[in-house]
Structures are given as structure tokens and as C-alpha cells.
Amino acid sequence: MLSLDPLGYEWDCSLGSKDLDGEEQPGRGGAGLPPISCFPGSWRQDVGLDCKGSPEGAEARAWTVYYYSLLQSCLQQAGLPETQDRSQVPHTGCPGAEVTLCILGSPSTFLSVLLEGGVQSPGNMLLCLSPAWLTKVPAPGQLGEAALLVSKAVSFYPGGLTFLDDFVPPRRATYFLVGLGLGPGQGREAAELARNLTCPTGASAELARLLEDRLLMRQLLSQQGCVAVPATLAFTYKPPGLLRGGDSSPGLRLVELSGKEGQETLVKEEIGAFLQSEALGDAVQVAVKLSGWRWRGRQTLCLHPRVELGAVVDTVLVLLEKLEEEESVLVEAMCPPAQLPFSGGPSPSPEMAVRICAVVCRTQGDRPLLSKVVCGVGRGDRPLRHQNSLPRTLEVALAQCGLSEAAQVAAVRERVKEAAEAALAAVLALEAGLSAEQRGGRRACTDCLGVDFALTVSGRALTPVALELNCNLCLEACGTLEGLWAAPRLGLAAEEAAAAPLVETMLRRSARYLMEGKQLLVIGAGGVSKKFVWEAARDYGLKLHLVESDPNHFASQLVQTFIHFDVTEHRRDEENARLLAELVRVRGLQLDGCFSYWDDCLVLTALLCQELGLPCSPPAAMCLAKQKSRTQLHLSCRHGPPWPAPSLHAVACCPLESEADVERAVHQVPLPGVMKLEFGAGAVGVRLVEDVSQCHEHFSRIAHDLQGEADHPGIGLGWGNAMLLMEFVEGTEHDVDLVVFGGRLLAAFVSDNGPTRLPGFTETAACMPTGLTPEQEAQMVQAAFRCCLGCGLLNGVFNVELKLTGAGPRLIEINPRMGGFYLRDWILELYGVDLLLAAAMVACGLRPALPTHPHARGHLVGIMCLASQHLQALSSTASRETLQALHDQGLLRLNLLEEALVPGEYEEPYCSVACAGSSPAEARLRLLGLCQGLGIDGPNYPVAHFLSHFK
């Protein structure tokens, strides 16, 4: 029977180990004690579980020992090594400057999260086995809130390695997740520890009470058009405010009782009407159960045939006597099991039933994402509950029940995805309307949700019906499946872990917490394409101070301090850095960091950081990367060891300072070649040259047209208009965006570029994530990283442009700043990683809180629009207003790169228009159709050709 109480036994912090009749249950310890240990194992028992300064009583100590043994048993069954005790030598760290993801709860419940955290953020995922290992301390200046300090924990590392550690001084939690099913007393301590913290929390007792209130959640879900719930009649006694006055749905009726006695007539009338109603459909049985926090995990369910009115009424009246305020008795239809195989016609009676468990996580932008689906399979005439059935994949479960047709299985998965994500969206919307007190703290919110479904037939279609929401049980079931010793043979190892999106959210919220209130100096405001900086800074709580040449720049009104200073004359950067440093001191700015994302200001920023003693890559490295010929010539001399050396990626080139240099260059660089500005940006002035005459002609044109900053602001002419000639290499072009901290590569994102409109090199199209093979992608990332290290770029967010040739990656240029155009937006959308926040963290000397191996959540394919090619369309069918409206509707992704729609010979792209899809082909076809409809595609701008690399 699919909608039987899906919850297995959990320790309840308020009821202890007794059943409904107050009897001790077998196999468990006495009052207040953990279950009798039944862990077969040979791990060490003489480990340092005591926390100095926080002695535990005998009962609490017994629970700590129990959970440690449970952890060792879980690791043993997963084929992982025993925990090593390092607590004799306390770890010192950087409190307040390092990510600390802390979990207090049962190891079996959270093992998948802990192992995934050990992979994504080694040494920063901590499991506390006792509340005594944690301390709350009042937060200065934040009335009623406290910081959470970790004195002792089990640390997780890649490969399932675990260590028992003491921390002196204690680590400050940047994210806290608590399991509220701990033992008696401990559950109350855990709830109090999670309340009103300064750090983000992924659970609280207050939110758990809401989530696991069957009636409240059923009412919430019934109001979602795409979430089916069982027909339910509820008798409520003094219901909570959230239930009062709520809109009812056809399948949900709430009856508010004035008392628990003398309700026989009302109860009988309501139940009689309910059992006769069409809302029950084909159900032949009903279940009677209790709803409320006290009854979570309790087996309080009674089954009755639908026709036995008297038995149902008697059961309800008995249960009414047990109610306390804000509790309910539910009478719900038992969803008939789907008769598989399902072909739209009659089929034999079912022998097997399926319960579907879905884990859905909150991701970037508060968007729900289905993480994983697992199922339990059992006899159709018996209850299916968590921990009483072996988890398996949806495909295997449905095949066991006779349904293996791929299209129907995919349809079921899509319906589960839609319903589960809608369920979390409803929960997040509910929480957004709660006060901090109702949530259990200002930073408390639900980051991961389990949804239990029954699979039934509705309208001649297989339909998942949402039965329950839970905090951790579905997550535990997914972890159990992933932990099977045979997982690699089953092909599960290559799949993303169910906990991966949750850990990414933990890291993302930790980063925001660490950066909130940081004081940063920004050098150069940039143009319209960098408007997102000021919006993001406000969202992250950053305090920005701006140095900018334009006294009327719009950003001057959006920062804490505006310093008007001419930063365009780069030949005076060293002098200007000293002057700016003095201005900072005079104004009394207490800076945590200084950075720039604007090409022109990168060297000045490095020099200023050196003056102020702030973290940054060395000025010499910035100078080397900024001048394109110096970059190539320097790397060409780096032959190693280690091997492969950066010289493998360098391309022949020759600097050009005067026309006389052109003759010398053509004898050193094979033609055809590429001529470009030494300090240029945006591909302005870059051209393919095939012979000596074209070299002379292009050099003369640039020398005449682009002499100084006023001729084309923002492309580096403040450095002069020197040029270089470099070899033209055949191959596909790619961008690699890197996050580097302390010379370590933390993250890399590879995108593909379409063919350019030769002889120019203005970007035309792009695709992310890359379509390269994993080996090729790894080659590109390592080449980009080696080139950055070879230039001395040890700290920062860098954009590296390369070509993949038959001989491997070849360097085009290094941009020692965050990638421009659409790149930050696309990476944030697909991976949930914000390069701007990462750059700000590096600038503050903080290691960015990033997942080690982020997974893309889809594909984006985009096209560039140029004023010279699309003036008519951009003024009519594809106007800025039209594109923005389509963006707001989710039909395309718009990145505006220029404010004015002015054609010119040395133009930069006006905007990027992209479409999303579950595959590159889907995104490409959507974009092609959109471009044809908007008039962006045309004979002189063949979009299909520019997208041809992405097939």
C-alpha cells in the first residue's frame, strides 16, 4: 500500500523510546540511552571523544560513543578506512577566514553529505558527534544572535578519509546543518544550538516542525497545480496560524474542532461525506493517522476498507483523545498502486508496489533542482517505509514491476522532477513569508528536501502523488544506494551524488557569510557590461569604494566612497599607485582587499596592492600578462622541468613599435599571421594578414586611427598603440576561466567559440560547457594553468584564450582578470559559481569557497550581435526592449555589452543573445530559430555557420 506512513523509526527528542502506549520498545536502550549496540567491527575504542572544557554526563557520553561506532560501521560497510585519531595534536587554523561546514547529527543519515563535502572542500566538512563539541558565543553588534564555534569534530577528506580533530582556537562555523532526530536531551540541545546563529543554517527545529507537519504540507502542496496529493479529511484541534484561513482544495477538507470530546456526530457526518466523495477516486481503503511534530516517525497508522464507516469513525475518535494543540487526525485515501505494465488498458492485479523518494536541493538564485530519485519496492499489500526496503534506481524499480519502456520511464521521471521541484518552491515561498523567529533565525532556511511519492494512475496517466515531506530520510536513502559496494559496476559511480547540489549550496552560502561587510577598493568602474558588479555587491553585502576617471559615472552613487582620479595614463602607474595609496590613508579607509576587472587598470591595481600590503599577484606578473608579445616570448623560454613546459603552448610572435619593425617581423613569424594591439582588448584592431603588404597596410591604419585613449576608450590605448605580429594557428578557439589561490588551481570553466568573420576576429558565437572530450578539456585547463603559473599569476581569477590545434593547446593571450562579455553570467547560471565573488575573496586573502568539480546544470549557446550587421534588427524586431522582454520570460539570455548602438570599423559586440537547453543541440536549434525570427540571422551574418562548431 503505497501511502502508508513512509517514516521508519527515529529517535524523538520529546518522547524518548516509548511507543504510543508508553511501553519500552525492544532492541533499544533504557530511558535516555542509545540503542543497544549491534555494530560488528574491529575499530579502535580508545579514541579521544572527550572535549576539553565541555565534560559530558554518562548518558550524553553513551550517545557520543554510539554515534562514533555508527560512523565506523558506516565507513566499514562502504569499504572506507577507519577514522584516524589526531586529537592529541590540536589543529590551528584561521578562525573567521576559512570555510567550516558543520553537521551535527547521525552519521548514517548524513554520510552521503559528509563524503561529498570531503571531496568538494577537503578538511572543511566537519561532523560533530555531540552537542558538547560545539559552543555558541554572542556575536558583537548582532543582538540576539550568536556565532557557532567548533572545538572537536571528525574531518572529511577525498577518498573517504576521516580524522578525529581538536581545534585550538575553535573553528567558526560558516554553515550549520543539524539533524533533529538525536537522542533525548541531545535533540533539545541541537535545536537550541541551531537557533539564531549568525552563520547560514540549513535546518532548524522551527522549520522542521513545519516541514514534517503532514497536514500543513499537504495543504501547501495541494495549492500547487502540478503536485498531486491524496484526498484527505483532517480534524484539527486549535490549528496553528498557518493553517487557519488557508485556501482549501477539492481533495482536502479541514474541520476545526472546538474540543476533543463530544464530537461524535460531527465526526461521523464528515467522515461519511468524505468516504462517499468523488475525490477518493478508485481508492478502496483509507488510512487514519496522526499529524503533528510529536508523531513524526511514529507508527500511528490504521487501515480500514472504505466501506467500513463505523470502524473509521471509532479510530478517529480514539485518536482525537491523544491530540494536543496544533495537532490533527487525518483520514486519507490509499492511492491504488499503478498496475504495471501500463498501456492505457486493463492489466492484471499488481503484485509489487513502488514508493518513490526524491531529493531536491535549493541552488543558485533559490531555484529548486531535483538531485536524485530512488525507489523502494515491496508487496502491494504491505507497508513500504524508509529503512524497511532496499533503495534502487527508478529504472530498476519500474522494471521489477514490469515497466521498462524507456519513454514511459522518462515520462515518470519528468513528472517526479516537476512535482518535487514544485514542492521545494512552495516550501521556499512559505519560508520567505515567515519572520526570523518563526524560521528559528535570520539565516535559517531549507536547502534540501525529501519528497515521498506513491505512483498511481490519474487520468489514464502514471502520476506521482506526494505523500510526505521530510528533512533527511530521502537523502539517507539516496546515500545508501550510492554507497553500495557494487556501485561502480552498476554504473552509478559516474553519476553526480545526491548531496552534490546541497554541498555546493553550503559552500556558496559560506562564501557570502565570509564576505559580508568586507571593505574592497575597486579600480575602474567599467561600462554597461559591468553593471552587474554593483547589483551583486549589494546582494553580497560588500562595502565597495571606487576609483574612477569619470566624475559622472553612474557607479559613483552606488559605492561607500568615490575617489575621482585619472587612471588612464598608464605610463604613470607607479606614481599613481603611490598617490592613490596616500589618498586611501588620508581618507582612513580600512580595506580588506583591492581588485579590478577592467583591463586598463590591472597593473595599477597590482602596484596599489603592493603599496597597501594587500593580497594580489605581483605587479611584474601583471605587466607580463598585460603585454601580449612579452607573454608569448617569456613562455617560449620556459622549457621546464616540470614537463610539459609552458613553452609547448607559446606561439611565435614579434613586437611592432614602428613600421620598420614590420619587415623584421615577417622574417621571424610565418605568414599568414595575426596583427593586434599589444595592450588591446575586445578584439579591436585584430586582423588576419596574409602577406607583407597587408602587414604594412594594417599597421599604418591602426597607427593613424587608434592613437590614444580618446580614439577608443577602454581598450588599452592608454598604454600606447604598439602592435605585434603573431603566427596564425589553425584550430578551434576556447576560453578557459580559472580561479587560482596561492598557486593552486581551484576551479576551471571551459567554453567554445564559433568561427570568426575573417579577416576580423570579433567573437561571433559561444557554447558552454565545452563540447570537447574530457581529455581535450583537461589539456586546455592544464595549458591555461601552466601559462598563468609561468607568468607568475598565483592569485586571482583569470581568463585565458587558447586554440586547440592538432598539436595540442596554443595560447592566444592571457587576460589577468575575470572573463568579460557573458562569461561571468553564464558560469553563474550553469555552475552556480560567481567569478566576481571568487575574485573578491582572493582579493581579501580568502580561499574562495568553491566546489572542486562543479557540474553544469544545462547548456547555453549564444550569438553576438553587432551594430554594423544588425542595426536594422536591433532597432526594430530585436530591439533592446524586445530582447529584454524575452529575457524576462526565460526565452533567451541577454547580456548587454554596449550602451550605444553605433556602427564602426573598430566596433565591439553590442550584446550577446543565448538560449538554454538540456543538450548543446537543443540549445543551438532554439537559438537558430530565435535568430531567424528576430532578424539576427542573414546572408551577411550566417548564424548556422557560426554555430556549426557546436553540433
Side-chain angles (χ1 to χ4, degrees), residues 40-59:
S42 57
W43 48 84
R44 290 182 55 186
Q45 304 294 325
D46 58 337
V47 292
L49 297 179
D50 293 324
C51 186
K52 295 176 183 177
S54 300
E56 293 182 297
E59 182 181 305

Side-chain angles (χ1 to χ4, degrees), residues 732 734 752-755 765-773 776 859-861 919-925 928 942-951:
T732 55
H734 307 268
D752 305 337
N753 293 335
C767 176
M768 183 181 278
T770 178
L772 297 174
T773 66
Q776 291 172 323
H859 297 262
L860 282 170
V861 175
S919 67
E922 180 184 340
R924 183 176 60 84
L925 289 174
L928 183 58
V943 172
H945 169 65
F946 299 140
L947 303 182
S948 60
H949 284 185
F950 312 142
K951 289 184 178 178

Side-chain angles (χ1 to χ4, degrees), residues 718-738:
W719 294 88
N721 64 349
M723 301 189 72
L724 74 149
L725 175 67
M726 63 185 297
E727 180 184 359
F728 175 72
V729 292
E730 295 282 357
T732 55
E733 188 172 336
H734 307 268
D735 278 63
V736 182
D737 288 272
L738 306 174

Side-chain angles (χ1 to χ4, degrees), residues 886-898:
L886 292 171
H887 173 93
D888 294 340
Q889 296 171 39
L891 298 176
L892 59 78
R893 193 157 198 89
L894 173 66
N895 288 102
L896 192 66
L897 308 177
E898 291 291 330

Side-chain angles (χ1 to χ4, degrees), residues 13 15 156 170 191 198 241 304 317 387 470 578 714 809 833 838 855 915 918:
C13 63
L15 296 181
F156 283 73
T198 57
H304 296 287
L317 291 174
Q387 302 167 344
N470 61 77
R578 290 191 291 271
V833 173
H855 293 266
C915 284
S918 58

